[in-house]
Amino acid sequence: MSQFLQPTILLLREGTDTSQGRAQIVSNINAVQAVADVVKSTLGPRGMDKMIQTGPKVTISNDGATILNLLEVVHPAARVLVDIAKSQDDEVGDGTTSTTLLAAELLKEAKPFIEEGIHPQIVIQGYRKALELALEKLEGFSINISRDSPEDKRNTLLKCAQTALNSKLLANTKQFFSELVVSAVEKLDPNILDRDLIGIKNVTGGSVTDSFLVDGVAFKKTFSYAGFEQQPKRFENPKICLLNLELELKSEKENAEIRIEKPEEYQQIVDAEWALIYEKLETIVKAGAQIVLSKLPIGDLATQYFADRNIFCAGRVAQEDLLRVQKATGGQVQTTVNGLNPETFGTCGLFEEVQVGAERYNLFKNCPQSRTATIVLRGGAEQFIQEAERSLNDAIMIVRRCFKANKIVAGGGAIELELSRYLRHYARSVTGKTQYIVNSYAKALEVIPRTIAENAGLNSIEIMNKLRQRHAQGGDEGRWYGVDINGQSGVCDTHSSFVWEPSLVKRNALCSATEAACAILSIDETVKNPKSDQDTKMKPKGQPGRPPMGMRR
Amino acid sequence: MSLAFDDYGRPYIILREQGSKKRMKGLEAYKSNILAAKAIANTLSSSLGPKGMDKMLVSPDGDVSVTNDGATIVEKMEIQHPTAKLLVELSQSQDAEIGDGTTGVVVLAGKLLEQALTLLDKGIHPLKISDGFDRACDVAIKHLENISEEIDIQANEHEALIQAACTALGSKVVSKRKRELGKIAVTAVLDVADLGRKDVNLDLIKIQTKTGGSVEDTRLISGILIDKDMSHPQMVKEVNDAKICLLTCPFEPPKPKTKHNINISSAEDYKKLYLQEQQYFVDMVKLVKDSGANIALCQWGFDDEANHLLLQNNLPAVRWVSGTDVELIAMATGARIIPRFQEITPEKLGKAGSVKEVQFGTSNERMLVIENCQCTKAVTILIRGGSQMIVDEAKRSIHDAICVIRNLIKDNRIVYGGGSAELACAIQVLQYADEVSSVEQYAIRSFADALEGIPSCLADNCGLNPITSVAQAKARQLQENNHRIGIDCMELGTTDMKEQRIYETLSSKKQQIQLATQVVKMILKIDDVIAPDDY
């Protein structure tokens, strides 16, 4: 705090760092740029993956939110980006990279204004105004998809899923997976569309196209005791009993103690314990259950007891799996066997234990109330499947969103360019500083098509010129021109080549990116308390510290 | 690593502990990834083929294993590098899915990456390369299906199966005895196979190893072998027409699971207790005996008191039989597992032709053989060999052979080995490449080159000149339009693999090419590596 004149007035505790003013805003913007640069190359169908090693774990991903999360960003301003990526992920599930890039680009455009001394609030106001206009226009531009016939609707969903999968590892098999995803979502209750009811199970080995959808529930064979192999492994229309109950010979109460006075009583105690467990087992058998699933262990005694009576059992079924079995089969999870009756049992068309790769899986198919589906993913390496799972997750979220909202826009940067064109046009009609700012907003929007083109190894300047020209011609014809990574010219009508996205994704991306940019612009002072952050390496800027190790490279 | 610098050249602190993190980007990242993965592939490439060499791996505890099996080698190498680890998983997933061809898949991936590296140097976008590989892979797979032949697994006493098993065993240390071992493996699989459903549960084949003797002594037991002996040395060593009682309760006075205390206040009570305990033993033995059982197998132990009683009652017994063995025995003999003495009934007993204790060599170790079971649904392969290492390797080899046979039962289409199938695909892919007008053409052509890498690697390992022999084979394939021409690794004088009877399953070959392509695509898609800077 050398700038304080004598006598020093100590306002803050020693070691507290403050930095403020215009320099602080600019420095924050720079930090945000750096983070956005990391995810920049993942955007678009030719986007690349990142490999991030954290401890012994290695993640390979293309998903913006996942990457940002694994980077462990600590810079306070840059963290805002991580948060908006996450919120985009939670809200719509896809478009995390574009949101991040957009926010960073908006800030980059704002930087010259700040440096020239325009008050940040004016920039913020301008951006807000631009956002408002953009959203309004987005609504107007988006296309209503006819959903008169189920085929049309399904087609739309397929297209949207494919667009989401475009940039992922699964791009080459997107047809296959979009079918899978759409069929899975269609299984859900259309009013709720609970994402948790679509299970994704990973089994290494096999080709990705060996993945399949189970119309019902599937889970890995649980740990089993001797006698399990003697149980039947296939049922048609079985009665399924769901329990949250331990079926084992054990002490009924912890810490209980029995005092026996006479040796004869000894046998009675032993018998009593056996009677307890047998009573439970008998009740289950009497009620007519054919499959017994429990969240808690089913011991060897019970396993053998069931085996003798042609009943299949599985203990230690994971909570989420049990929940999905419950939803699918219409059964109810019981915590006691008292009052067990056939009404609490679920049922399904077919139960089977099958071999998938090196694992055995329990499949419950053709469930009557099938409100759940399971995707069994196959693939070469663990990381591959994990990334595939994340990609499918994105696609599922998109399809879910699309299921409800029936408005779409064309991807490939087309909608951003169209909005940009409109904003530029509008800017000419206003006076004052706002004109510049709205113009900047329009320019920032162009980052999406530009990055897509750059990542695809195309000449981005040439492509952007072509696209601007197309859009400037106006009318419906030029409206949906976007980056084409396959063709010769580099541009095409992305609407007619079915690069479709729900307009909701864009809406949310625009909102959160603008909000984040405004939030960062409005910070003009950072006060960092040394105690609150133990990490001594994290020094605020403006303070000469010891040269960081990072200088080496 | 630092992502950004301010106007004075000072780095921003953006990431946690960013000083200790390392970042590689772009071409640097591709190259380092490819080189790491290639290093693994190179290690394995000398193990490929019938004349492939073995690796000796010493674990941190000093355990030595000598093996030729790709999946085992990479697993024991304990690889750290993240990209190289992908290849390890590749090999393991081939192992899990197919069981054989674990070396081939890694070598192929290595060759593909090698080709990708040259393409990257030419300045081709990595995703274009992977697109090309993908298209080439589809062509290769389609061609494989075209050239595959269906075989009749039943014909000529399962000759085809035996040949396929021999091919799998050909590259292993036991190759001298491949015919005998192949037969054993085929019989074992057929015994447990459900030919109607085309399903084989490999859990029903138990592979037991025992050091001593030689590999020739390896035999198939149509029943179960357990590494246990009778609980008392004076018990009879052989029981014919055995009625087996499988128990999961100990020959001990029952104990309540609830915590309990016994307070004895007088001498009489003590005596009573003692007598009661004695009575338990007598009752138990009597219950077993009454059911008609003439041998008892128990999952738990029993003390000398019970042991003595069993001997007196002439009831041979075995203790501490493991849970999986109990299950296998139950399946094989049709026994039900009995959790409580009170529940023993004659129907629950399992039946076997004979149960006998066998001794090996001069050692004092004995094993129990349960043969001619009521429903032979479980078999055991007893592997013998000079040393632990040989036995272990033989076990892995037989596992490979069993997997091959299982795959053939599932899908009876084969392709010919010796690199012929790869060569045929390479030729096909090359033809296809010329039809593609975009940049992918280069990648597709490289894919063909990579496929040729397999026969060339085979030839190299056999001491042949790789370039000449591959060129010759390729030329002959084209001239004679015969896709069965491969590398004559065994120097039998013919390069027609049909005459050499080198069979490989279509499913394994398909899987190899698909998995290798998949992983290579994944590696090529990574343009940024962020890792702790400690190695």
Side-chain angles (χ1 to χ4, degrees):
Chain A
M1 307 294 136
S2 52
Q3 69 264 41
F4 288 122
L5 295 170
Q6 291 290 337
T8 315
I9 306 164
L10 276 178
L11 278 176
L12 299 168
R13 197 145 52 91
E14 199 180 348
T16 308
D17 289 303
T18 63
S19 41
Q20 55 186 339
R22 201 184 295 157
Q24 172 65 22
I25 302 178
V26 174
S27 128
N28 280 342
I29 291 175
N30 287 342
V32 168
Q33 295 304 320
V35 173
D37 265 352
V38 177
V39 290
K40 195 170 180 184
S41 71
T42 63
L43 187 77
R46 287 264 185 269
M48 304 301 279
D49 289 1
K50 307 279 158 191
M51 176 151 84
I52 298 166
Q53 190 174 14
T54 37
K57 200 169 152 272
V58 178
T59 312
I60 297 175
S61 183
N62 178 277
D63 184 56
T66 312
I67 297 168
L68 287 177
N69 197 16
L70 287 171
L71 276 178
E72 295 185 319
V73 175
V74 289
H75 191 282
R79 272 212 66 87
V80 175
L81 278 198
V82 182
D83 293 341
I84 56 163
K86 192 169 177 303
S87 86
Q88 175 84 2
D89 200 28
D90 293 344
E91 185 67 22
V92 274
D94 191 33
T96 49
T97 309
S98 22
T99 313
T100 320
L101 278 187
L102 206 55
E105 194 67 16
L106 285 172
L107 287 170
K108 195 171 160 191
E109 291 298 329
K111 199 166 127 188
F113 296 128
I114 305 292
E115 276 169 347
E116 278 164 27
I118 295 181
H119 196 279
Q121 285 304 336
I122 294 177
V123 182
I124 291 172
Q125 268 170 23
Y127 276 180
R128 291 238 162 94
K129 176 79 191 155
L131 171 71
E132 200 180 295
L133 287 165
L135 289 180
E136 198 177 287
K137 218 55 200 165
L138 181 72
E139 208 60 28
F141 285 148
S142 50
I143 303 162
N144 263 317
I145 293 299
S146 88
R147 29 188 50 193
D148 305 336
S149 68
E151 286 98 66
D152 278 357
K153 183 174 180 184
R154 195 181 158 83
N155 230 342
T156 318
L157 296 179
L158 281 176
K159 293 293 178 317
C160 289
Q162 282 172 16
T163 310
L165 288 174
N166 244 337
S167 59
K168 313 287 181 189
L169 262 175
L170 302 174
N172 280 308
T173 43
K174 61 179 177 188
Q175 310 264 332
F176 175 81
F177 279 104
S178 55
E179 274 292 333
L180 217 61
V181 166
V182 173
S183 311
V185 176
E186 278 175 344
K187 290 275 173 328
L188 299 181
D189 189 335
N191 296 322
I192 309 166
L193 290 179
D194 188 352
R195 164 67 186 85
D196 290 343
L197 291 180
I198 299 179
I200 300 182
K201 299 282 165 190
N202 307 338
V203 189
T204 43
S207 150
V208 264
T209 43
D210 290 342
S211 310
F212 58 92
L213 178 77
V214 179
D215 163 21
V217 188
F219 56 86
K220 204 165 110 183
K221 191 196 110 174
T222 51
F223 176 81
S224 63
Y225 288 94
F228 177 76
E229 289 299 331
Q230 287 180 307
Q231 295 176 347
K233 298 292 158 57
R234 193 191 147 94
F235 285 104
E236 276 173 32
N237 301 318
K239 288 191 188 121
I240 304 166
C241 174
L242 307 169
L243 296 172
N244 185 359
L245 181 69
E246 208 166 339
L247 293 175
E248 240 178 327
L249 183 64
K250 58 157 203 157
S251 59
E252 279 301 307
K253 264 261 184 284
E254 293 290 321
N255 300 327
E257 204 182 89
I258 311 169
R259 262 167 214 274
I260 307 165
E261 297 299 330
K262 284 188 226 124
E264 296 84 52
E265 287 170 6
Y266 191 76
Q267 182 64 33
Q268 286 172 7
I269 297 293
V270 173
D271 286 346
E273 277 187 352
W274 282 85
L276 274 173
I277 174 92
Y278 271 116
E279 194 189 313
K280 283 185 201 163
L281 296 177
E282 212 172 306
T283 329
I284 295 171
V285 174
K286 270 210 184 121
Q290 285 171 298
I291 296 175
V292 180
L293 303 178
S294 177
K295 207 181 101 182
L296 295 171
I298 293 182
D300 50 353
L301 174 68
T303 310
Q304 289 144 18
Y305 188 89
F306 288 138
D308 280 351
R309 286 156 186 81
N310 281 332
I311 293 170
F312 176 89
C313 72
R316 295 179 205 237
V317 178
Q319 165 83 27
E320 44 161 31
D321 288 331
L322 199 67
L323 202 71
R324 292 198 299 117
V325 174
Q326 182 182 356
K327 289 264 182 189
T329 63
Q332 280 155 30
V333 177
Q334 303 288 312
T335 45
T336 164
V337 291
N338 300 331
L340 200 67
N341 60 48
E343 272 112 74
T344 59
F345 290 164
T347 189
C348 66
L350 178 69
F351 164 80
E352 231 184 334
E353 186 186 295
V354 295
Q355 184 94 25
V356 181
E359 321 263 16
R360 291 199 89 83
Y361 263 78
N362 295 333
L363 307 184
F364 297 83
K365 288 194 215 163
N366 305 333
C367 304
Q369 315 192 341
S370 193
R371 287 276 175 260
T372 170
T374 310
I375 297 172
V376 178
L377 261 183
R378 309 294 316 274
E382 186 64 39
Q383 277 96 348
F384 184 91
I385 301 192
Q386 277 169 7
E387 172 64 3
E389 186 182 341
R390 279 190 291 271
S391 314
L392 280 193
N393 203 12
D394 280 9
I396 290 173
M397 293 296 278
I398 286 293
V399 172
R400 255 188 64 199
R401 279 293 175 185
C402 214
F403 212 86
K404 286 183 179 164
N406 50 353
K407 283 192 174 149
I408 59 136
V409 291
I415 182 67
E416 284 86 359
L417 268 169
E418 185 60 18
L419 290 177
S420 159
R421 183 195 64 80
Y422 169 74
L423 287 177
R424 275 175 204 272
H425 186 73
Y426 168 83
R428 273 183 232 137
S429 65
V430 288
T431 49
K433 289 174 192 158
T434 326
Q435 184 184 12
Y436 285 111
I437 292 157
V438 173
N439 233 336
S440 295
Y441 194 94
K443 205 172 154 210
L445 282 173
E446 286 179 356
V447 70
I448 303 290
R450 196 171 64 234
T451 313
I452 294 177
E454 265 169 24
N455 287 346
L458 301 170
N459 184 345
S460 58
I461 299 175
E462 188 195 324
I463 303 276
M464 289 310 291
N465 283 339
K466 272 188 195 168
L467 285 175
R468 278 199 207 107
Q469 180 241 346
R470 287 278 184 185
H471 282 263
Q473 280 172 353
D476 291 342
E477 230 169 85
R479 180 178 292 168
W480 297 126
Y481 266 81
V483 183
D484 177 23
I485 47 138
N486 296 316
Q488 289 293 325
S489 67
V491 296
C492 73
D493 187 336
T494 49
H495 179 244
S496 51
S497 55
F498 301 118
V499 185
W500 294 356
E501 290 179 75
S503 59
L504 193 78
V505 175
K506 289 292 162 207
R507 191 188 176 83
N508 206 57
L510 284 175
C511 285
S512 43
T514 313
E515 283 306 320
C518 293
I520 291 170
L521 283 177
S522 58
I523 304 168
D524 75 337
E525 177 157 352
T526 312
V527 179
K528 204 172 314 168
N529 199 324
K531 251 298 169 47
S532 69
D533 201 320
Q534 297 287 324
D535 198 348
T536 49
K537 282 179 188 161
M538 223 183 67
K539 289 198 177 68
K541 75 166 302 278
Q543 244 228 349
R546 89 188 133 105
M549 290 155 86
M551 293 285 272
R552 266 187 294 146
R553 40 187 69 248
Chain B
M1 100 185 200
S2 304
L3 295 171
F5 299 93
D6 67 7
D7 300 342
Y8 308 102
R10 281 190 299 260
Y12 285 101
I13 310 283
I14 294 175
L15 309 182
R16 176 167 303 168
E17 291 168 17
Q18 69 177 13
S20 64
K21 278 183 186 165
K22 189 174 73 168
R23 180 173 186 208
M24 272 187 294
K25 262 175 88 171
L27 210 55
E28 191 196 353
Y30 303 131
K31 288 201 170 159
S32 115
N33 283 338
I34 290 178
L35 286 178
K38 249 178 67 187
I40 303 293
N42 283 343
T43 320
L44 281 192
S45 70
S46 69
S47 292
L48 189 74
K51 299 243 170 111
M53 304 305 275
D54 289 359
K55 309 278 169 207
M56 183 185 258
L57 301 150
V58 185
S59 78
D61 321 331
D63 292 337
V64 180
S65 45
V66 176
T67 182
N68 178 282
D69 182 57
T72 316
I73 298 173
V74 288
E75 191 195 330
K76 299 220 165 156
M77 276 165 75
E78 288 182 12
I79 287 155
Q80 288 272 315
H81 192 282
T83 330
K85 256 195 206 150
L86 281 176
L87 285 200
V88 177
E89 278 167 23
L90 168 72
S91 180
Q92 278 161 358
S93 87
Q94 171 86 8
D95 196 31
E97 186 77 8
I98 303 289
D100 179 43
T102 50
T103 315
V105 67
V106 176
V107 174
L108 183 61
K111 296 277 173 204
L112 282 171
L113 287 171
E114 202 170 297
Q115 294 293 338
L117 201 60
T118 26
L119 292 173
L120 281 173
D121 282 342
K122 281 185 185 157
I124 299 178
H125 194 287
L127 288 184
K128 289 271 180 199
I129 302 176
S130 72
D131 276 359
F133 280 179
D134 217 36
R135 284 161 77 170
C137 174
D138 287 347
V139 173
I141 298 290
K142 219 168 268 159
H143 189 61
L144 266 184
E145 275 172 12
N146 285 340
I147 63 170
S148 68
E149 290 175 22
E150 274 191 26
I151 52 159
D152 184 0
I153 53 170
Q154 299 290 356
N156 201 2
E157 292 181 349
H158 312 295
E159 184 57 30
L161 291 183
I162 297 175
Q163 283 302 336
C166 287
T167 310
L169 291 169
S171 60
K172 312 288 178 182
V173 72
V174 292
S175 62
K176 212 175 141 210
R177 297 284 149 210
K178 61 180 177 188
R179 178 96 202 155
E180 287 85 342
L181 294 180
K183 258 187 192 157
I184 288 177
V186 171
T187 328
V189 175
L190 287 174
D191 274 352
V192 300
D194 182 345
L195 289 176
R197 274 178 64 208
K198 292 192 169 181
D199 185 38
V200 183
N201 188 352
L202 290 186
D203 291 345
L204 295 176
I205 302 176
K206 197 181 163 202
I207 303 179
Q208 184 80 44
T209 59
K210 191 87 198 164
T211 346
S214 63
V215 180
E216 285 88 63
D217 297 335
T218 299
R219 64 194 185 102
L220 179 73
I221 295 159
S222 61
I224 294 149
L225 186 82
I226 45 176
D227 196 0
K228 291 279 175 311
D229 51 5
M230 298 290 180
S231 59
H232 196 286
Q234 281 172 305
M235 281 176 183
V236 280
K237 303 285 180 225
E238 189 170 347
V239 180
N240 287 322
D241 284 327
K243 292 198 180 59
I244 302 167
C245 178
L246 274 181
L247 293 166
T248 50
C249 46
F251 271 99
E252 267 169 26
K255 279 199 195 93
K257 297 274 175 182
T258 314
K259 230 194 212 170
H260 60 280
N261 266 341
I262 304 173
N263 290 345
I264 297 167
S265 43
S266 65
E268 289 91 75
D269 272 358
Y270 185 79
K271 218 165 206 171
K272 241 194 226 163
L273 193 71
Y274 174 75
L275 282 175
Q276 201 178 349
E277 275 190 359
Q278 291 303 305
Q279 194 55 42
Y280 271 124
F281 288 125
V282 175
D283 286 349
M284 284 171 183
V285 175
K286 189 168 178 301
L287 278 166
V288 177
K289 204 69 189 165
D290 283 356
S291 69
N294 51 15
I295 181 162
L297 302 183
C298 182
Q299 199 184 353
W300 304 105
F302 35 84
D303 54 23
D304 291 344
E305 194 110 31
N307 209 356
H308 172 73
L309 263 170
L310 286 166
L311 179 68
Q312 274 191 337
N313 283 291
N314 207 3
L315 186 70
V318 185
R319 53 186 160 184
W320 298 118
V321 181
S322 73
T324 39
D325 283 342
V326 166
E327 188 154 24
L328 273 177
I329 296 168
M331 295 299 277
T333 63
R336 314 289 336 192
I337 301 164
I338 303 165
R340 219 180 161 197
F341 285 98
Q342 282 87 335
E343 284 169 34
I344 300 176
T345 56
E347 304 87 66
K348 287 188 173 177
L349 301 182
K351 294 184 184 63
S354 77
V355 178
K356 65 180 170 200
E357 201 179 278
V358 287
Q359 198 165 358
F360 294 100
T362 52
S363 69
N364 230 354
E365 291 167 59
R366 298 185 198 86
M367 283 183 170
L368 211 60
V369 179
I370 304 171
E371 265 178 321
N372 299 329
C373 305
Q374 194 177 24
C375 24
T376 339
K377 258 289 176 194
V379 294
T380 309
I381 298 174
L382 174 64
I383 298 174
R384 306 297 312 275
S387 70
Q388 190 60 43
M389 279 174 245
I390 293 202
V391 170
D392 285 348
E393 177 65 357
K395 183 175 175 179
R396 282 189 286 268
S397 314
I398 289 189
H399 175 255
D400 279 12
I402 288 175
C403 289
V404 168
I405 301 162
R406 176 194 62 177
N407 295 339
L408 268 182
I409 289 176
K410 273 190 188 159
D411 179 354
N412 63 349
R413 287 177 295 175
I414 54 139
V415 290
Y416 292 97
S420 64
E422 283 89 353
L423 263 185
C425 288
I427 292 169
Q428 192 69 23
V429 169
L430 214 51
Q431 267 176 19
Y432 169 71
D434 294 335
E435 296 163 19
V436 178
S437 59
S438 51
V439 191
E440 281 95 336
Q441 192 192 71
Y442 285 91
I444 296 172
R445 208 170 279 151
S446 301
F447 191 88
D449 286 346
L451 280 175
E452 277 176 28
I454 298 282
S456 114
C457 186
L458 270 178
D460 202 13
N461 288 348
C462 301
L464 300 169
N465 184 336
I467 299 175
T468 349
S469 36
V470 172
Q472 269 172 6
K474 198 171 161 188
R476 281 194 56 199
Q477 278 213 4
L478 278 169
Q479 278 160 15
E480 300 169 25
N481 201 10
N482 179 353
H483 59 79
R484 299 185 300 266
I485 305 288
I487 306 290
D488 180 16
C489 296
M490 305 308 288
E491 293 176 11
L492 295 177
T494 171
T495 49
D496 191 326
M497 290 300 137
K498 193 171 187 178
E499 282 168 37
Q500 281 213 13
R501 294 166 170 247
I502 308 290
Y503 296 160
E504 286 188 55
T505 55
L506 172 67
S507 49
S508 160
K509 267 272 136 34
K510 254 168 76 178
Q511 186 86 22
Q512 274 187 14
I513 297 180
Q514 279 173 336
L515 282 183
T517 314
Q518 205 179 82
V519 166
V520 167
K521 265 171 62 192
M522 183 162 194
I523 294 176
L524 282 177
K525 212 165 178 283
I526 301 168
D527 77 332
D528 208 337
V529 181
I530 296 167
D533 189 13
D534 54 359
Y535 65 93

